[in-house]
């Protein structure tokens, strides 16, 4: 039989074959991952829609493969196919079975009475979760990955730096050539597109994060009892939403085809996550509807799956604005590149202790405070400097007085 690249998601017509997880002669089982394909949104594991023997791997690693292009020639019970020397399989006398739609990573499949994607079912199996006992929040009763995670008690890894690579020794004058492919290629394409399209400018503001540090320290102890690793990111996301509600044009995307600004009134915030292969930006959806602890669990899940290459197409869809976080690594501030076609990206940097002049009772004195800087890059075609300054003034007020977030959640 012939295995062709299945549909990868709405509007996705091709992907780069990053790696084969099988070799010719291997016997594979139904739903076993056989390769990794990278689209412009995500690296996706493609599961096998059959149980049988791999006769020929037609597509090559590094090749751009079109949807429905021949990938594999396989031998399954009752349907045998042999490949020709030209690399194409001759037609079999028995029609090759179609690839079930359920095997496409972006589509849903039914297992018993449960509607869920293959990736969600795989996560449930790995975690020992009975999908039939999970409350579904997706359309038509579909169980999402978030639902599975909510059924679990524990969290995951935080926004840590990517693992260091093992260094090798080079002789004097020796050079190393590395093909630009996979995630690094997609990052290069996206960054170049953003710089070519958007008129970037960056605005930087400082913030006294002392009260935020106190609040996070208090909440961290409660979170640990719930098995949650609580970073600063959930608080930053909630502060972003509170400020964006007052400055909605920053929560926009640009439709150049219709020459329209699309202002979003839901808050889907992409997070920049550093992995071994490079930067990826999964989306935390409906931040306005979630608690600090719910956001902490979801962030931990996204980061963990990003590092394990387990993200799926739906993890990258619907973003309205992006948060990039280099604080765990260091640095004072940066000038981040917009996640086009969004119009703004916020940079969160390290929190550090420093002496500052504070006023109390009409008198000034030196005090040690927790301090940080935020930088926001915007598309000057859509937003002006005054809008950036006003947004940052509002945003910083929530960072410096995080108890105000409670009042915002009552709106």
């Amino acid at each position: 039989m012939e295995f062709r690249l299945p549909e990868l998601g709405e509007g996705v017509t091709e992907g780069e074959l990053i790696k084969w997880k099988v070799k010719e002669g291997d016997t594979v089982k139904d739903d076993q991952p056989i390769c990794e394909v990278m689209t412009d949104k995500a690296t996706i594991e493609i599961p096998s829609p059959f149980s049988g023997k791999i006769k020929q791997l037609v597509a090559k690693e590094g090749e751009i493969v079109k949807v429905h292009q021949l990938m594999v020639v396989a031998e399954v019970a009752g349907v045998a196919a042999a490949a020709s020397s030209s690399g194409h399989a001759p037609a079999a006398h028995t029609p090759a079975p179609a690839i079930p739609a359920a095997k496409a990573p972006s589509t849903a499949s039914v297992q018993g009475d449960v509607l869920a994607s293959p990736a969600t079912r795989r996560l449930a199996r790995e975690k020992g979760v009975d999908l039939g006992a999970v409350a579904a929040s997706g359309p038509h009763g579909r169980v999402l990955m978030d639902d599975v995670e909510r059924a679990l008690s524990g969290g995951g890894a935080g926004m840590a730096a990517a693992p260091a690579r093992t260094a090798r020794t080079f002789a004097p004058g020796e050079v190393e050539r590395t093909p630009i492919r996979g995630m690094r290629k997609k990052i290069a394409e996206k960054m170049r597109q953003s710089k070519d399209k958007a008129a970037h400018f960056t605005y930087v503001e400082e913030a006294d994060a002392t009260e935020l540090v106190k609040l996070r320290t208090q909440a961290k102890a409660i979170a640990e009892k719930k098995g949650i690793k609580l970073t600063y990111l959930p608080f930053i996301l909630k502060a972003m939403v509170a400020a964006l509600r007052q400055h909605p044009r920053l929560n926009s995307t640009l439709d150049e085809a219709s020459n329209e600004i699309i202002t979003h009134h839901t808050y889907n915030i992409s997070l920049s996550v550093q992995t071994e292969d490079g930067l990826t930006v999964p989306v935390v959806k409906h931040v306005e509807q979630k608690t600090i602890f719910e956001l902490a669990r979801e962030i931990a899940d996204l980061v963990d799956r990003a590092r394990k290459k387990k993200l799926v197409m739906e993890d990258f869809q619907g973003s309205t604005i992006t948060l990039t976080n280099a604080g765990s690594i260091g640095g004072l501030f940066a000038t981040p590149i917009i996640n086009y076609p969004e119009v703004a990206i916020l940079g969160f940097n390290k929190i550090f202790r420093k002496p500052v002049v504070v006023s109390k009772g009409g008198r000034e004195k030196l005090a040690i405070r927790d301090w940080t800087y935020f930088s926001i890059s915007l598309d000057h075609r859509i937003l002006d400097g005054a809008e950036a300054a006003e947004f940052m003034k509002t945003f910083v007020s929530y960072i410096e007085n995080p108890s105000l977030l409670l009042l915002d959640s009552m709106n």
Side-chain angles (χ1 to χ4, degrees), residues 390-404:
E390 290 297 331
F391 168 82
M392 289 295 266
K393 180 181 177 181
T394 304
F395 171 75
V396 167
S397 71
Y398 286 104
I399 296 299
E400 295 187 336
N401 303 280
S403 59
L404 293 177

Side-chain angles (χ1 to χ4, degrees), residues 375-396:
S375 50
I376 189 165
S377 293
L378 304 109
D379 190 337
H380 216 328
R381 298 175 301 168
I382 310 303
L383 299 159
D384 298 324
E387 291 174 284
E390 290 297 331
F391 168 82
M392 289 295 266
K393 180 181 177 181
T394 304
F395 171 75
V396 167

Side-chain angles (χ1 to χ4, degrees), residues 97 126 137 359 397:
E126 291 172 355
S137 65
S359 298
S397 71

Side-chain angles (χ1 to χ4, degrees), residues 126-318:
E126 291 172 355
K127 300 290 187 178
V129 174
D130 177 7
L131 282 179
V134 175
S137 65
H140 309 296
R142 180 184 181 188
V143 177
L144 305 178
M145 282 192 171
D146 288 350
D147 301 327
V148 175
E149 287 299 329
R150 275 192 287 270
L152 296 168
S153 59
M159 299 284 283
R165 296 179 184 271
T166 304
R168 56 162 287 195
T169 303
F170 295 95
E174 186 180 0
V175 299
E176 181 181 16
R177 292 180 179 268
T178 304
I180 301 176
R181 60 173 55 163
M183 187 175 289
R184 178 49 53 190
K185 181 179 179 181
K186 292 302 178 186
I187 292 171
E189 291 171 353
K190 288 283 288 184
M191 295 301 99
R192 185 67 266 165
Q193 179 194 37
S194 181
K195 294 296 283 186
D196 286 344
K197 294 280 189 178
H200 282 69
F201 77 97
T202 302
Y203 183 90
V204 179
E205 187 57 274
E206 60 184 346
D208 184 342
T210 304
E211 293 304 315
L212 176 62
V213 170
K214 289 180 182 178
L215 178 59
R216 186 251 182 170
T217 300
Q218 294 168 352
K220 186 178 179 182
I222 300 172
E224 286 175 351
K225 294 178 182 178
K226 298 176 178 290
I228 300 170
K229 182 172 182 178
L230 182 62
T231 69
Y232 288 105
L233 291 179
F235 299 97
I236 303 302
L237 293 180
K238 296 298 277 189
M240 287 177 69
V241 169
L244 288 168
R245 281 179 166 145
Q246 298 174 53
H247 306 277
R249 287 231 302 171
L250 277 77
N251 196 48
S252 300
T253 52
L254 179 61
D255 186 340
E256 293 207 36
S258 64
N259 199 33
E260 293 177 321
I261 301 168
I262 304 172
T263 302
H264 303 274
H265 296 288
T266 190
Y267 303 89
N268 298 339
I269 303 178
S270 288
L271 289 179
S272 296
V273 179
Q274 191 68 35
T275 72
E276 187 179 57
D277 295 328
L279 201 64
T280 189
V281 279
V283 184
V284 182
K285 297 184 175 70
H286 301 291
V287 175
E288 74 279 9
Q289 298 177 7
K290 296 171 181 174
T291 68
I292 292 292
F293 289 165
E294 286 173 338
L295 290 171
R297 279 199 179 101
E298 185 168 345
I299 291 167
D301 168 64
L302 287 173
V303 172
D304 183 58
R305 288 191 289 117
R307 302 270 164 77
K308 295 177 179 177
K309 301 180 183 179
K310 300 293 185 182
L311 294 173
V312 296
M313 290 294 293
E314 64 189 42
D315 292 320
F316 296 88
Q317 295 171 343

Side-chain angles (χ1 to χ4, degrees), residues 3 12 38 49 64-65 83 102 109 125 130 139 146 152 269 276 287 328-329 334-335 362 368 389 391 394-395:
F3 173 82
V12 179
M38 171 171 282
I64 302 299
V65 184
S109 63
R125 287 198 303 270
D130 177 7
D146 288 350
L152 296 168
I269 303 178
E276 187 179 57
V287 175
S328 60
I329 302 173
T335 57
I368 303 298
F391 168 82
T394 304
F395 171 75

